[in-house]
Amino acid sequence: MIGMQNKNSQLKTKGFVLAEAIFSLFVTMLVLFILQNLLLSVKKANLSENQHMNEVAYAYVQLDRYMHDEDTKMVYPLVNERKAKSATFVKVNKDKSEVEYKIEYYLSKRVLKVSKSNGGGYMPLIFNVQSAKFITRKDKIIIRINEYNKGESDLVFQLDEEPDEDRNVRKNKKEDQGKRKRAI
């Protein structure tokens, strides 16, 4: 009888160890599942936060590459003395042809875009723009962008200074236009 009690107590002990092992495996799997979901949530939050910076950086790189492509000799801004709702720059190609471009905020579509000043299509830079301010200096264009729910960013483009001969030609054209208006 004593021998049977020893066998029963040994069996109970082995059974308890098996149940304990199954329970610990269940707890381990639960902790790993929770940890996996937590890490995925952190990764998604980090991606959405960096997405804003990626869009702004991409827009900057896209426009800078367009301004300074392999056919470009120089790029200079046209300085506007008033508070500007756009910025204008001139791209001088190696064959000495000049093309004037305008960077502006298109309110109805909430997009910052670049287009040729004489018309035609446009190249969108950033979408979901709430407002944009343009500051033009003699050798740079600064665009301050305020996006919906993402904050404010500055795009600063370092450009060449406008050559003196181009400045004089442009000044003479403005004077001629003013004389024509007064004559009418």
Side-chain angles (χ1 to χ4, degrees):
M1 178 106 167
I2 295 176
M4 287 180 92
Q5 282 181 343
N6 284 341
K7 285 184 181 178
N8 285 340
S9 64
Q10 286 178 354
L11 289 176
K12 286 181 183 176
T13 306
K14 288 183 182 178
F16 181 72
V17 171
L18 181 62
E20 195 175 59
I22 291 173
F23 179 74
S24 65
L25 282 174
F26 174 73
V27 170
T28 303
M29 288 175 48
L30 184 66
V31 167
L32 288 175
F33 178 73
I34 291 171
L35 185 63
Q36 179 187 11
N37 285 337
L38 180 66
L39 289 175
L40 286 174
S41 297
V42 168
K43 185 178 178 182
K44 282 181 184 176
N46 194 19
L47 284 176
S48 65
E49 186 177 299
N50 287 339
Q51 188 67 26
H52 162 67
M53 289 303 179
N54 290 342
E55 289 174 6
V56 173
Y58 180 73
Y60 177 82
V61 169
Q62 182 181 11
L63 183 56
D64 193 57
R65 281 187 181 168
Y66 184 72
M67 287 177 171
H68 299 98
D69 63 5
E70 59 190 40
D71 293 333
T72 304
K73 180 179 178 184
M74 73 181 305
V75 179
Y76 60 88
L78 296 180
V79 179
N80 189 350
E81 304 299 327
R82 296 173 278 144
K83 284 188 175 180
K85 296 184 179 186
S86 65
T88 306
F89 66 91
V90 176
K91 185 175 170 180
V92 181
N93 294 324
K94 289 182 180 176
D95 63 357
K96 301 203 177 172
S97 62
E98 293 185 2
V99 182
E100 196 171 297
Y101 293 92
K102 185 182 259 187
I103 307 169
E104 60 189 340
Y105 170 58
Y106 196 50
L107 180 63
S108 65
K109 294 190 178 186
R110 299 183 303 183
V111 64
L112 187 69
K113 67 176 188 167
V114 178
S115 60
K116 288 185 179 181
S117 291
N118 60 3
Y122 67 90
M123 176 176 65
L125 291 174
I126 301 177
F127 294 97
N128 285 331
V129 177
Q130 185 175 10
S131 65
K133 296 176 186 173
F134 300 88
I135 303 165
T136 307
R137 303 279 187 251
K138 64 181 181 176
D139 63 344
K140 71 177 70 169
I141 294 175
I142 304 168
I143 306 169
R144 183 159 290 139
I145 302 165
N146 190 3
E147 294 180 274
Y148 289 101
N149 301 323
K150 293 185 181 175
E152 195 170 86
S153 303
D154 285 350
L155 299 175
V156 180
F157 296 95
Q158 189 68 39
L159 305 174
D160 303 309
E161 286 189 38
E162 182 177 5
D164 289 334
E165 62 269 6
D166 288 348
R167 192 175 301 128
N168 292 334
V169 168
R170 198 170 268 89
K171 189 175 181 181
N172 290 338
K173 281 184 183 179
K174 285 183 182 179
E175 288 174 0
D176 290 344
Q177 289 174 350
K179 288 178 184 177
R180 285 188 210 146
K181 287 181 182 178
R182 283 187 231 128
I184 295 175

